[in-house]
Amino acid sequence: MIARGEVTVPGDKSITHRALLLAALSGGRCTLRSALAAGDTRATAAALRRLGVQVGRLGGRGAVTVVGGGLRPCRPPAGVLDCHNSGTTARLLLGLLAGHGFEARLTGDRSLRRRPMARVTEPLRAMGAAITAAAGERLPLAIRGGPLAPLAWRSPVASAQVKTALFFAGLVGGVAVSVTEPVISRDHTERLLRLLGVRVTVEGTTTTVEPPETLPAFDGEIPGDFSSAAYLLAAGILAESGEVVVRNVGINPTRAGFLRVLERMGAVVEVRGRWVSLGEPGATLVARPAALAPVVVEPEEIPSLVDEVPLLACLASRAERGWTSVFRGVGELRVKESDRLALVASNLAALGVAARTEGDTLFVEGAAAPPRGRVATAGDHRLAMAFAVLGTVPGAAVELDDDRSVAISYPDFFRDLASVLHAS
Ligand code: S3P
């Protein structure tokens, strides 16, 4: 396979959620260019509309407009807020609602209803919110916000969703919030808040946000999504020849650990033409074919590449035959859109790769034979895209049970992937 072409990936999912929510809390009309129009970010936009915030249509190449209503912009919603497949929507909304004095109910699809919410409901209760949840502290749940107390929270998991939810509660409640994480997770919220003049301090792995009087309205261009770019870069690396150029990619170091691991595997991605947008560094990335070495990924690296583990595992299956790559501390993958840890291992095994888990560690052996077989994606977008890329290996025959899930984060994924692949 020859991989050659240029792609501009869609807007970053994490930053789009945050920009929509912060725009809602701002003092006026905000225009967000290149916001991601996909399942997850539509869930956030629709929930905000239900809460009485004016949010324009997400879609096309145009910009979305949000009319901020100040730091407590929401009114009681009619009916339940459906977060669909989006954990970020559910957790960030809980933070936003904790400081509002009314009751709201949240639910989601089957995948989201199995995901843990205690990591955010516990600290929000400690701040003063009343939350009642289904058994096991999962969705559906009801939250009644009110006056909040300041919070200093030690989170047992490195989670940007938890950190952001608590900061949003602090903004709406007008109180300071400190979050200590085992390892710093992605810091998109902190960057946006600083840009808006909010005092954010970091000491070790503790981040503190002081409550502002108001948030100014803002406009900006959302950087391209690093996680979406990763699939195209991987296709360029697995190809026999060529060069894949991905333009407009956010390369925030708390998010781009994939590049550092690729480098250790022997695939150096070229970084060209750096820029900054909405406080986020970005660049054009260029990937070329490489012979891959096996790799060991340590627990402290995982937060910076948590969504890329399935893809890295697929790449590790193409590393030098008979050598095993090791991913330590990947237990969080069990509670993503699917049990990614179990499914990565079982699907690789179904394709003829020696892969297994032991506790929170994933082992993947390099295989010489091309992957052939059927993949069960459990409706998980990242599994669908990672295994679709593995299916571009010469001689491969990888069949996905379902490929519609890509609409969650990257609706044009298959078009963009096909645009860079050419038969040799
Ligand atoms: C996200 C953070 C990550 C990531 C998810 C999006 C975010 O989750 O897996 O896709 O936008 O904050 P955690 O921070 O909960 O691990």
Side-chain angles (χ1 to χ4, degrees):
M1 191 72 80
I2 303 169
R4 186 175 295 286
E6 280 196 26
V7 176
T8 301
V9 287
D12 185 275
K13 177 157 81 70
S14 292
I15 301 173
T16 300
H17 285 297
R18 287 156 172 77
L20 288 170
L21 292 161
L22 287 173
L25 298 178
S26 79
R29 176 179 290 269
C30 303
T31 304
L32 308 172
R33 296 186 301 279
S34 305
L36 174 66
D40 269 17
T41 49
R42 284 205 174 94
T44 291
L48 280 174
R49 286 186 203 110
R50 242 174 205 258
L51 288 161
V53 180
Q54 263 187 60
V55 182
R57 201 178 78 86
L58 266 180
R61 294 230 160 251
V64 60
T65 302
V66 180
V67 182
L71 285 172
R72 213 167 292 163
C74 304
R75 53 162 202 253
V80 62
L81 301 168
D82 190 345
C83 304
H84 297 275
N85 194 242
S86 175
T88 313
T89 303
R91 296 186 178 122
L92 271 47
L93 271 182
L94 284 171
L96 188 88
L97 291 167
H100 283 82
F102 55 76
E103 185 175 278
R105 286 175 298 129
L106 272 69
T107 192
D109 68 8
R110 250 166 64 125
S111 149
L112 187 55
R113 291 198 308 268
R114 68 169 263 289
R115 298 180 66 184
M117 292 294 147
R119 51 184 62 193
V120 12
T121 56
E122 251 181 65
L124 290 176
R125 278 196 195 103
M127 291 180 84
I131 300 169
T132 46
E137 202 69 4
R138 302 185 202 286
L139 296 184
L141 57 71
I143 178 166
R144 174 175 285 280
L148 299 180
L151 179 78
W153 190 253
R154 183 175 286 277
S155 174
V157 281
S159 163
Q161 295 180 353
V162 170
K163 184 171 59 170
T164 302
L166 302 182
F167 292 156
F168 281 5
L171 293 176
V172 178
V175 293
V177 169
S178 284
V179 180
T180 304
E181 308 179 83
V183 179
I184 289 266
S185 60
R186 62 187 68 183
D187 66 356
H188 303 307
T189 309
E190 295 88 313
R191 286 171 185 260
L192 274 172
L193 286 174
R194 281 199 193 100
L195 204 70
L196 300 178
V198 178
R199 197 172 135 76
V200 180
T201 51
V202 182
E203 257 188 73
T205 62
T206 301
T207 308
T208 304
V209 173
E210 306 289 344
E213 294 283 316
T214 55
L215 282 182
F218 62 99
D219 298 330
E221 169 92 22
I222 311 274
D225 195 303
F226 181 84
S227 298
S228 299
Y231 301 104
L232 302 166
L233 299 173
I237 290 165
L238 290 176
E240 291 158 299
S241 65
E243 178 178 281
V244 173
V245 178
V246 191
R247 279 187 274 126
N248 188 38
V249 190
I251 54 165
N252 180 327
T254 62
R255 180 74 187 279
F258 177 68
L259 295 182
R260 299 188 283 271
V261 172
L262 281 183
E263 213 160 296
R264 302 212 294 276
M265 296 178 85
V268 179
V269 171
E270 188 193 332
V271 180
R272 280 186 197 158
R274 292 173 184 267
W275 44 264
V276 174
S277 185
L278 282 175
E280 295 279 343
T284 294
L285 301 180
V286 185
R288 302 184 182 86
L292 294 173
V295 74
V296 178
V297 182
E298 299 294 352
E300 57 276 15
E301 298 181 86
I302 301 301
S304 70
L305 49 77
V306 64
D307 293 338
E308 283 65 69
V309 174
L311 180 61
L312 281 169
C314 287
L315 288 171
S317 76
R318 304 312 301 163
E320 207 173 333
R321 174 190 188 173
W323 291 84
T324 300
S325 291
V326 185
F327 301 84
R328 292 193 223 283
V330 289
E332 268 296 296
L333 266 71
R334 291 202 184 88
V335 291
K336 291 296 180 187
E337 286 84 328
S338 67
D339 180 345
R340 288 183 182 159
L341 187 50
L343 285 168
V344 163
S346 60
N347 282 311
L348 283 173
L351 298 177
V353 176
R356 65 189 170 86
T357 61
E358 215 179 280
D360 284 351
T361 305
L362 170 68
F363 299 89
V364 180
E365 203 178 291
R372 300 179 84 88
R374 187 172 160 85
V375 168
T377 60
D380 183 330
H381 57 135
R382 303 231 175 267
L383 293 182
M385 292 188 277
F387 282 97
V389 167
L390 186 56
T392 66
V393 164
V398 174
E399 190 196 337
L400 302 178
D401 65 349
D402 174 23
D403 59 14
R404 289 166 301 180
S405 58
V406 303
I408 292 296
S409 62
Y410 192 173
D412 291 331
F413 168 72
F414 287 106
R415 183 201 69 187
D416 287 352
L417 181 65
S419 79
V420 298
L421 294 177
H422 314 279
S424 39

